Amino acid sequence: MKYKGFNDILVNNWPGVSRVGPDTLRMAHHAGQQAGRTVLDIGSGTGFIAIYLRAQGWRCMGVDVNSAALQCANRNARANNMKLEFKYSDLFSDVSGLFDLIVFNPPLGHTSAPAAPLEFIKSLMPRNNRVVIAIVYFFVGKQRRELLRRFLEQAPRYLAKGGVVMMSLYRPEMSLTGSWKTEVLEEVNGLRVVSLKRLD
Ligand SMILES: C[S@@+](CC[C@H](N)C(=O)[O-])C[C@H]1O[C@@H](n2cnc3c(N)ncnc32)[C@H](O)[C@@H]1O
């Protein structure tokens, strides 16, 4: 599908891969407003955010733990004639270098591979249904917060000087961002797009 308003990029969803949703579009929109040249997209899914930023001239790396997502994102990059690689990494495990921007739209559920069955079910779910999200969060919220903690602890090592982290977080998760200067860029149904800078 072609996304008007997002440089007309072509991005297709795949079964088993987290779908492009309103949260994806919000993250991509706000990421595109940032100053900088290099971006790391953690949990890249279909590749939408990295592909959009590449179309805006950024140098991008996308990583995910879901092999179906990596295949999907690499195919979407080729459909846009982009030299853009999506590769396996569990958060930063296979990443090196410093980035002006690190984007993370974290999963609601699974935090480690292989979790293909759950990812498949989630890819068919209505992403913005508050009841579904509340039920899923009840079961996986603790696991998600652990992933967020791990991410926030490791991210500073990969941020260039003055760099920014951009994440989507539910309101109660804001307490995890203690040692960061946070700015809420947008909030819809309790889900925030947040930019984070190091305090030191
Ligand atoms: C909510 S989706 C976001 C996908 C895409 N960035 C978007 O906004 O549409 C979360 C993604 O994070 C990936 N993921 C989950 N745990 C991960 C981990 N430990 N390291 C890297 N990616 C992970 C999932 O496979 C999934 O593709």
Side-chain angles (χ1 to χ4, degrees):
M1 162 174 178
K2 191 188 256 193
Y3 287 85
K4 295 207 180 303
F6 288 89
N7 286 61
D8 284 350
I9 57 170
L10 291 167
V11 174
N12 287 315
N13 292 306
W14 276 25
V17 180
S18 185
R19 299 176 69 79
V20 176
D23 52 336
T24 313
L25 302 183
R26 285 197 294 273
M27 291 278 291
H29 166 75
H30 288 289
Q33 310 276 307
Q34 299 293 311
R37 289 184 39 79
T38 53
V39 60
L40 170 64
D41 182 9
I42 300 256
S44 43
T46 59
F48 187 97
I49 297 172
I51 289 170
Y52 172 56
L53 291 177
R54 181 76 201 99
Q56 301 247 330
W58 290 68
R59 276 200 288 129
C60 308
M61 179 190 289
V63 300
D64 207 295
V65 288
N66 177 354
S67 59
L70 295 172
Q71 278 180 43
C72 169
N74 279 317
R75 186 174 289 192
N76 281 330
R78 281 197 297 277
N80 290 279
N81 296 316
M82 286 176 179
K83 269 196 156 180
L84 172 53
E85 197 205 352
F86 293 89
K87 62 172 198 171
Y88 175 89
S89 182
D90 176 0
L91 296 182
F92 300 95
S93 67
D94 291 59
V95 169
S96 60
L98 297 175
F99 300 86
D100 299 317
L101 178 63
I102 300 175
V103 181
F104 187 30
N105 184 10
L108 194 53
H110 94 96
T111 61
S112 59
L118 178 54
E119 201 58 57
F120 185 79
I121 293 164
K122 277 170 50 207
S123 75
L124 304 176
M125 277 181 6
R127 287 277 292 277
N128 262 4
N129 183 314
R130 294 182 85 168
V131 178
V132 173
I133 288 172
I135 294 168
V136 174
Y137 201 89
F138 177 80
F139 290 106
V140 300
K142 185 164 174 266
Q143 196 188 21
R144 175 174 151 112
R145 283 192 298 278
E146 273 159 22
L147 181 72
L148 294 175
R149 258 188 221 105
R150 193 154 62 92
F151 170 83
L152 288 168
E153 198 245 319
Q154 295 174 11
R157 282 175 243 152
Y158 300 88
L159 264 189
K161 198 167 165 20
V164 172
V165 166
M166 185 171 293
M167 311 176 69
S168 52
L169 291 177
Y170 289 101
R171 217 183 283 173
E173 293 169 343
M174 294 300 288
S175 59
L176 298 171
T177 65
S179 56
W180 297 78
K181 180 170 173 255
T182 61
E183 186 186 353
V184 179
L185 303 174
E186 194 176 346
E187 177 170 345
V188 177
N189 290 338
L191 184 62
R192 297 176 163 186
V193 179
V194 183
S195 91
L196 309 169
K197 286 187 182 159
R198 293 297 291 164
L199 279 174
D200 45 348

